[in-house]
Amino acid sequence: MTLYGNIREMDLNNTRKTATSKTSVINNSFYQQMNWAKLKTEQKLASQNMLVQIPLPVIYRKNTSQTVWDLTRYSFLLQEQIPETVHPKLWEQGKLNLHSGLFKVTENIYQVRGFDLANLTVVRGKNGWIVIDCLTSQETASAALQLLKGYFGSFHISTVIFTHSHVDHYGGVLGVLPSERPVNVYAPNEFMKSVIQENVTTGVAMSRRSVFMYGEPLPNDDKGQIDDGIGKTLSKGTVTLIRNIQEISNNTFQPYVEKVIDGVNIQFQLTPETEAPAEMNLYFPDEKSLCIAENCTATLHNIYTLRGAQVRDPVAWAAYLQQAIDLFGDRLTSVFGVHNWPRFGTKNCIDYMEKQRDVYQYINDQTLRLINLGYTLEEVGRMVTLPESLSNEWYNSSFYGTVNHNSKAVYQKYMGWYNGNPVDLNKLLPEESAVKYVEFMGGEEAVLEKAKKSFQDGEYQWVAEVTKHVIFSNPNNEAAKLLCADALEQLGYVAESGPWRNEYLTGAQELRFGKTPIPISTITKEVLDVIPLENILYLLSIRINGIKAGNFDFKINFVIPDRKEKASTEVKRGIFRYLKSELIGSSAVTVTMWKDQLYELVATNNRFGNSIILIQGDKHKWYSFLEAIDKIDPNFNIMTP
């Protein structure tokens, strides 16, 4: 069955389309397969023990009308009928993530949910409250704190704990910490190193890729962004960080580190290289409750995240979940995570942890089985499927990660990018091969006519692939971009994964309307204030154009008076290298600037403007150095060459 009577009558325009008959059939099939009993369990858990309901909260940037968080945009999810343009399971997961307010986990553990992508958890201490994770933004964290104060009255914070090194768990820290008194802040071993590597060093590229993964520019409706599986989306407020974090390490033979913090006994189980390079679970023996961090999240998580990151270790992930079961399982009465909702009852908690554990082990082992049978990265992504004993659980659904791209991640982890076929060893660039593909296929018009027929036949992935060749051959071919957008849109409509849907629909939107400019959100002044000078200067190291600086050989001293820091560096053989935290007499030039000028230099394309900096020595070498620094493009092309 075709969707149009005549291929030439296909209306290629920049409007968002409805679901085609093929898409409607696919989503109806998913609907018929849904396990409604499992959904009812999740519906009960998502609203259980709600103390204060805050329907569809809206949070503003301080003293402005600019929203950083707005759940009213998702009110369309409250309608009963599931649209044909949304995978029915993703629609229901999106409704579950509308529950917002204050929730009770145990007599002394509470959570604020629905105020950001992640949860903010508090534990009652002897002299104050222990905060576990601080959301993404200073503004959303502050709003969560106000909710807690409104319910509990007098409320002061004695301790902050970060479960892991992702920005949605530490970025709001200055929204909860009182400025008038010191507070201990704990994090897992190598927390700061991981924060810098993932959120700062690759912050530009990751921010751009996050636009696609989280669907930031998409409208929120039944043809747009629905949910991210582990929460609605990232808030858009101020990302912060703090100094003097005490990193918890385990140098003993004990399986966990035990501390009494504000009168509360906490057993820290370090789980490195699982969901994050630096991560830890927290067990509260007096509450018989386990904070499982982001190692269990009521969805299949990512072994590889689409925004870009190092591949995670599914074997370590499974092993640490087993260790948690061995250590705490027979005493557990509740398990709560830093996304989504808790589980209650010893049997339910262990069953949940075991099946989440087995998902990651299964994907790892089955991918290795196929690798050893000679299958390639693209093949394993389509061949690995979960058995019913795992897929039957709602919390193992692909709302965030997918079996497809997680299997590919396992392939990448063990085998790398090369598939072993020498044809693919040094392939032509997409722009080069696209021209030849289009020529071989008879030219742009011939390709588009065939692609329109394929679209009518419901071959949306093929249409996207073949029109990409036309786009990369001729980026000005509007018909190719519009047809590719229509195909991506239908792929998004049938995606169970929120990030997959966002990727497809954001790609379609960029092809229709161009890019939506974004700032570099994770490299803020508040974050740079906390990072060591050596790491800040490293941001220049990865912007130096090696060919332009290839013959440079001189040293530069930096003096930053308001940070009370100095550093010596050298530029040699195309490399900019930090030397030490003191000045050296053999430098060619010494540059004195305030920290705001330094931050502007490392994180923007600005060159001081009217700001005054002091240059002592060979000014020519300093200006040559500046000329060799590449410009940042936070909105680099993805959908076009």
Side-chain angles (χ1 to χ4, degrees):
M1 181 175 67
T2 60
L3 307 176
Y4 300 90
N6 188 314
I7 293 174
R8 295 184 181 277
E9 292 176 3
M10 266 190 81
D11 187 12
L12 294 178
N13 56 56
N14 61 11
T15 62
R16 295 188 296 160
K17 309 301 189 297
T18 60
T20 64
S21 57
K22 172 75 175 289
T23 295
S24 298
V25 168
I26 292 172
N27 278 337
N28 183 61
S29 175
F30 289 138
Y31 181 87
Q32 299 300 324
Q33 297 169 31
M34 281 176 60
N35 188 326
W36 295 97
K38 298 290 185 181
L39 173 58
K40 287 180 179 178
T41 297
E42 302 303 313
Q43 289 171 334
K44 178 182 177 181
L45 290 170
S47 59
Q48 188 169 335
N49 297 335
M50 178 183 280
L51 301 176
V52 180
Q53 183 178 16
I54 307 294
L56 307 178
V58 181
I59 301 169
Y60 297 91
R61 194 178 294 276
K62 188 176 181 180
N63 299 325
T64 74
S65 60
Q66 180 185 356
T67 58
V68 300
W69 183 254
D70 184 2
L71 277 195
T72 64
R73 297 181 302 156
Y74 297 93
S75 58
F76 67 93
L77 285 166
L78 299 175
Q79 70 184 56
E80 289 298 320
Q81 187 172 358
I82 302 176
E84 295 179 330
T85 53
V86 186
H87 191 293
K89 289 185 72 175
L90 180 61
W91 178 267
E92 293 296 338
Q93 184 79 352
K95 291 173 71 173
L96 294 175
N97 274 318
L98 283 180
H99 294 288
S100 53
L102 178 62
F103 299 80
K104 175 181 174 181
V105 181
T106 73
E107 288 300 321
N108 293 299
I109 301 175
Y110 301 84
Q111 288 190 311
V112 177
R113 304 206 291 268
F115 275 45
D116 209 314
L117 182 68
N119 304 331
L120 184 145
T121 304
V122 293
V123 182
R124 193 194 310 269
K126 182 178 180 181
N127 299 308
W129 290 84
I130 300 167
V131 175
I132 302 173
D133 288 354
C134 298
L135 310 183
T136 311
S137 304
Q138 183 174 359
E139 295 84 353
T140 54
S142 178
L145 185 63
Q146 292 306 310
L147 173 60
L148 291 164
K149 288 180 176 178
Y151 185 82
F152 290 108
S154 178
F155 193 98
H156 75 269
I157 295 165
S158 62
T159 307
V160 170
I161 300 173
F162 300 137
T163 61
H164 63 290
S165 53
H166 290 154
V167 68
D168 51 322
H169 300 275
Y170 68 78
V173 62
L174 294 188
V176 300
L177 281 185
S179 57
E180 68 275 9
R181 58 192 301 272
V183 169
N184 288 323
V185 181
Y186 296 96
N189 189 42
E190 297 202 331
F191 171 85
M192 188 60 75
K193 175 184 176 183
S194 300
V195 165
I196 293 170
Q197 284 184 342
E198 186 161 317
N199 298 298
V200 178
T201 305
T202 56
V204 177
M206 194 173 292
S207 293
R208 172 66 172 135
R209 292 266 293 263
S210 292
V211 169
F212 277 66
M213 179 175 173
Y214 294 110
E216 291 180 25
L218 295 175
N220 300 110
D221 57 25
D222 59 8
K223 295 178 184 175
Q225 197 262 352
I226 300 292
D227 196 77
D228 286 328
I230 57 171
K232 278 282 158 262
T233 188
L234 288 167
S235 63
K236 296 177 174 63
T238 307
V239 175
T240 64
L241 194 53
I242 193 168
R243 290 189 180 90
N244 302 321
I245 295 171
Q246 301 178 52
E247 295 189 359
I248 293 176
S249 58
N250 191 352
N251 300 318
T252 72
F253 294 106
Q254 299 300 317
Y256 55 80
V257 177
E258 191 160 14
K259 289 181 177 291
V260 177
I261 297 176
D262 192 12
V264 178
N265 187 17
I266 307 176
Q267 295 168 354
F268 296 88
Q269 179 205 4
L270 293 171
T271 64
E273 307 304 329
T274 53
E275 188 274 336
E279 190 145 359
M280 61 186 179
N281 299 329
L282 289 69
Y283 181 64
F284 298 86
D286 294 337
E287 304 297 314
K288 298 181 179 179
S289 188
L290 174 64
C291 173
I292 200 68
E294 205 162 325
N295 290 315
C296 290
T297 49
T299 174
L300 174 60
H301 211 293
N302 288 311
I303 297 173
Y304 167 77
T305 176
L306 302 180
R307 62 179 162 78
Q310 295 180 24
V311 172
R312 297 155 186 176
D313 187 342
V315 175
W317 201 328
Y320 281 118
L321 284 175
Q322 180 58 52
Q323 185 185 57
I325 294 168
D326 293 340
L327 290 173
F328 316 119
D330 60 347
R331 296 174 281 161
L332 276 180
T333 58
S334 60
V335 170
F336 64 94
V338 293
H339 290 279
N340 294 342
W341 40 90
R343 331 299 289 191
F344 300 95
T346 303
K347 183 179 182 302
N348 292 333
C349 291
I350 293 176
D351 192 53
Y352 171 59
M353 293 166 67
E354 285 182 344
K355 289 179 179 176
Q356 289 259 292
R357 170 202 68 193
D358 290 347
V359 161
Y360 303 113
Q361 189 71 56
Y362 180 91
I363 292 173
N364 181 86
D365 294 354
Q366 290 303 303
T367 303
L368 285 174
R369 177 179 67 85
L370 294 171
I371 286 173
N372 286 318
L373 290 173
Y375 292 103
T376 63
L377 181 143
E378 293 296 336
E379 291 169 321
V380 300
R382 293 180 179 273
M383 294 175 70
V384 176
T385 56
L386 298 181
E388 187 178 353
S389 56
L390 290 174
S391 65
N392 194 42
E393 297 295 348
W394 185 271
Y395 53 71
N396 280 343
S397 301
S398 294
F399 298 127
Y400 194 48
T402 70
V403 177
N404 183 311
H405 79 250
N406 281 341
S407 298
K408 293 176 182 176
V410 174
Y411 184 100
Q412 178 186 333
K413 177 178 175 57
Y414 288 100
M415 301 297 289
W417 58 268
Y418 180 45
N419 62 16
N421 187 329
V423 172
D424 297 321
L425 186 57
N426 189 27
K427 294 171 67 173
L428 295 175
L429 292 173
E431 299 93 313
E432 297 172 330
S433 61
V435 172
K436 297 184 179 297
Y437 274 116
V438 171
E439 179 186 349
F440 270 56
M441 290 186 286
E444 294 176 24
E445 291 301 318
V447 172
L448 290 180
E449 284 302 302
K450 294 173 183 176
K452 290 176 183 178
K453 173 63 168 61
S454 295
F455 184 94
Q456 292 177 339
D457 293 338
E459 297 176 353
Y460 306 125
Q461 180 60 42
W462 170 244
V463 173
E465 290 182 26
V466 75
T467 51
K468 177 190 170 186
H469 286 309
V470 179
I471 294 166
F472 273 69
S473 172
N474 176 13
N476 296 317
N477 191 315
E478 291 300 317
K481 290 194 282 190
L482 293 173
L483 183 53
C484 185
D486 286 354
L488 290 173
E489 188 170 59
Q490 299 303 316
L491 292 172
Y493 290 166
V494 299
E496 181 178 304
S497 164
W500 275 44
R501 177 184 176 91
N502 296 338
E503 291 275 343
Y504 287 130
L505 297 185
T506 303
Q509 179 165 299
E510 286 205 357
L511 287 171
R512 288 167 176 161
F513 302 107
K515 296 175 290 187
T516 302
I518 61 156
I520 305 169
S521 59
T522 59
I523 311 178
T524 62
K525 176 184 181 297
E526 290 78 4
V527 171
L528 290 172
D529 273 342
V530 176
I531 293 174
L533 182 57
E534 178 179 359
N535 297 107
I536 294 174
L537 291 174
Y538 184 69
L539 293 176
L540 295 176
S541 302
I542 58 176
R543 287 178 61 186
I544 283 288
N545 185 310
I547 298 301
K548 286 184 179 179
N551 293 322
F552 289 180
D553 185 2
F554 55 86
K555 294 178 175 61
I556 306 173
N557 285 331
F558 286 87
V559 180
I560 317 299
D562 49 346
R563 283 182 61 112
K564 297 180 180 178
E565 289 184 276
K566 302 174 181 178
S568 54
T569 66
E570 72 172 356
V571 193
K572 190 173 184 178
R573 290 187 285 271
I575 298 168
F576 175 66
R577 179 179 289 107
Y578 177 92
L579 296 177
K580 52 186 175 180
S581 60
E582 58 186 61
L583 306 185
I584 54 177
S586 59
S587 68
V589 60
T590 296
V591 180
T592 302
M593 65 179 74
W594 299 104
K595 66 179 183 180
D596 286 350
Q597 297 167 319
L598 174 67
Y599 300 165
E600 191 174 47
L601 175 63
V602 302
T604 75
N605 294 322
N606 300 334
R607 291 296 177 267
F608 311 119
N610 295 323
S611 301
I612 297 174
I613 66 171
L614 178 61
I615 307 169
Q616 297 170 286
D618 191 334
K619 293 184 178 181
H620 174 73
K621 285 187 168 57
W622 169 245
Y623 292 125
S624 297
F625 171 71
L626 292 181
E627 285 295 318
I629 298 173
D630 270 350
K631 289 188 175 181
I632 292 172
D633 181 5
N635 302 292
F636 54 78
N637 287 355
I638 291 178
M639 299 306 301
T640 57

